[in-house]
Amino acid sequence: AGGGQKLNMPSLSSAELWRASGRWDGMGPELFRLADRHGKGYCLGPTHEEAVTELVAAQSNLSYKQLPLRLYQVTRKFRDEPKPRFGLLRSREFYMKDMYSFDASGEAARQTYNLVCDAYRSLFDRLGLPFVRVQAATGNIGGTVSHEFQLPADVGEDRLAVCPDGHFAANVETLNGEQTSCPTCGEKLTQTRGIEVGHTFYLGTKYSSVSNAVFYSPDNKPQLAEMGCYGLGITRILAASIEVLSTEDSIRWPSLIAPYQLCFIPPKKGSKEEEEGAMLMERVYDDLMEALPHLAGDSVLDDRTQLTIGRRLKDARKLGYPYVVVAGKRVCEEPPVFEVWNQNTGEVLFLTKEGVFELLSKVQVP
């Protein structure tokens, strides 16, 4: 929606490119380095500023009319983390959505920066994740302005300072020791921990000046493109959302990224509800798929009827289906009543077939 064009850049990057930008040495041991059979150096891309800037620099007659360029990919990244932990949260290989923008002026580049930040806000709102955008250090990416999107969580690696009235938020590493109150309203900053799930940088001409990534202005003069770069940790969002939303005994996914929306649990084999319950559940499923066809590919039938309902329900809670429909003892009543578990609120509802339909008609599937 922000005018991004999708591309795919190589995982292997030439050491020459990284030496030119100063990051071959600057990244330190976090950079995975290797040499080919001819002794030429390469690294496994932890990020792609050098590669994308070189690509744009190769367009020899780029006009200001072709800007802004907003190029993004969803790909694997590699970082030799000192302490990989938390399963998906801090691993050496992970998926990232990274975007790189090229604009004709500093003002236009800042507009792009704000546009992407708004897109990230919208994304986390749609996922229902309680995020905070904080001022952050530019680190080894560089540039002059940087913000992190953080999910507050006790297990988070980052320490955050937040104004209770929402005027200011920063990663503690960017503050000097004396700053304990909000620069806007003077309220005392509260400290919390967070998991970083997104990061944005305004880069200026840091990389375009190295690769000579220029465009031609209205008076046909070559000018360096103003850049920004932006990253969303895809695997991080998966892991962090579970960390932030789940309870002790059940996984809770944002429904937009739940593996399936719905799990059906028929009666146990040999129970007195078995025959009637299985038949009714099949009918409910068929009618539901006809009425709400968008749920057809988003539903699972747990047909392990040799296991008790309780055991299958426990598994369903561990897997995190937002809704579980159970054909239990009350399925033999007139009219039949189904047990429906709403994982994300912890509610258990007893509903007729019509009630089940009404509840599930509100489910959003991406």
Side-chain angles (χ1 to χ4, degrees):
Q5 298 180 60
K6 194 172 187 181
L7 47 71
N8 214 346
M9 284 178 276
S11 293
L12 276 179
S13 258
S14 153
E16 287 167 26
L17 271 182
W18 282 71
R19 284 198 181 98
S21 70
R23 292 208 296 178
W24 184 258
D25 298 317
M27 282 284 277
E30 209 175 88
L31 194 63
F32 275 114
R33 301 152 206 267
L34 65 156
D36 69 9
R37 66 180 74 193
H38 308 295
K40 281 192 71 174
Y42 291 87
C43 66
L44 287 174
T47 177
H48 279 82
E49 285 78 14
E50 285 83 357
V52 76
T53 312
E54 193 72 3
L55 176 70
V56 171
Q59 317 306 306
S60 52
N61 291 315
L62 192 65
S63 159
Y64 71 95
K65 291 177 182 172
Q66 290 165 277
L67 300 182
L69 270 182
R70 295 169 184 152
L71 307 173
Y72 79 97
Q73 61 179 353
V74 178
T75 185
R76 282 181 172 153
K77 297 286 189 288
F78 304 87
R79 292 181 189 169
D80 194 357
E81 295 287 353
K83 289 188 212 156
R85 60 200 181 102
F86 287 147
L88 287 170
L89 269 190
R90 206 70 172 142
S91 52
R92 291 190 172 104
E93 181 178 344
F94 52 93
Y95 274 98
M96 189 198 280
K97 187 288 305 170
D98 44 327
M99 179 186 260
Y100 305 89
S101 61
F102 298 80
D103 278 276
S105 68
E107 189 189 343
R110 278 186 282 277
Q111 282 175 357
T112 294
Y113 188 91
N114 292 333
L115 185 81
V116 178
C117 284
D118 287 344
Y120 283 14
R121 282 192 189 96
S122 157
L123 176 94
F124 291 119
D125 283 341
R126 281 184 66 196
L127 288 171
L129 294 171
F131 71 93
V132 58
R133 187 179 87 135
V134 304
Q135 289 180 16
T138 54
N140 53 39
I141 302 281
T144 52
V145 176
S146 163
H147 290 91
E148 291 166 346
F149 287 77
Q150 294 268 359
L151 302 187
D154 292 341
V155 298
E157 296 172 314
D158 293 304
R159 289 191 306 128
L160 315 176
V162 181
C163 164
D165 294 332
H167 298 126
F168 175 83
N171 193 314
V172 167
E173 67 186 23
T174 66
L175 302 177
N176 59 41
E178 298 86 65
Q179 190 172 344
T180 55
S181 57
C182 173
T184 306
C185 67
E187 282 283 330
K188 188 173 179 350
L189 296 174
T190 57
Q191 290 224 1
T192 181
R193 297 192 84 82
I195 301 168
E196 181 196 337
V197 284
H199 208 151
T200 57
F201 299 84
Y202 173 59
L203 299 170
T205 58
K206 174 179 172 171
Y207 294 93
S208 53
S209 60
V210 173
S211 293
N212 200 33
V214 299
F215 66 94
Y216 286 87
S217 64
D219 54 3
N220 215 26
K221 296 260 171 53
Q223 274 179 239
L224 289 171
E226 293 272 341
M227 288 177 62
C229 68
Y230 320 87
L232 280 178
I234 306 291
T235 33
R236 248 173 183 252
I237 290 169
L238 284 177
S241 59
I242 292 171
E243 201 65 61
V244 168
L245 300 176
S246 298
T247 62
E248 202 60 46
D249 58 353
S250 71
I251 276 185
R252 292 182 180 176
W253 294 97
S255 70
L256 280 177
I257 55 174
Y260 294 93
Q261 296 295 325
L262 196 51
C263 176
F264 291 93
I265 299 182
K268 184 178 190 299
K269 199 174 185 171
S271 66
K272 64 176 192 292
E273 303 87 43
E274 180 188 5
E275 203 172 317
E276 195 173 344
M279 187 181 69
L280 282 166
M281 182 153 270
E282 205 160 306
R283 200 177 302 156
V284 164
Y285 175 81
D286 290 342
D287 293 351
L288 192 66
M289 294 312 125
E290 201 175 312
L292 306 170
H294 61 288
L295 287 177
D298 246 299
S299 304
V300 168
L301 174 71
D302 190 338
D303 57 2
R304 300 173 300 162
T305 51
Q306 75 279 14
L307 301 177
T308 64
I309 284 176
R311 168 66 203 279
R312 284 177 284 161
L313 197 49
K314 200 172 178 183
D315 284 352
R317 299 185 72 182
K318 282 183 188 165
L319 287 164
Y321 307 109
Y323 294 94
V324 183
V325 180
V326 180
K329 287 189 168 52
R330 294 184 61 184
V331 83
C332 294
E333 292 179 7
E334 194 48 57
V337 171
F338 295 90
E339 199 177 313
V340 183
W341 290 69
N342 180 341
Q343 291 274 64
N344 291 339
T345 62
E347 278 182 300
V348 185
L349 306 164
F350 292 91
L351 303 171
T352 61
K353 179 172 140 180
E354 291 68 31
V356 172
F357 278 33
E358 192 185 337
L359 178 70
L360 298 178
S361 66
K362 300 183 180 82
V363 175
Q364 285 187 328
V365 175

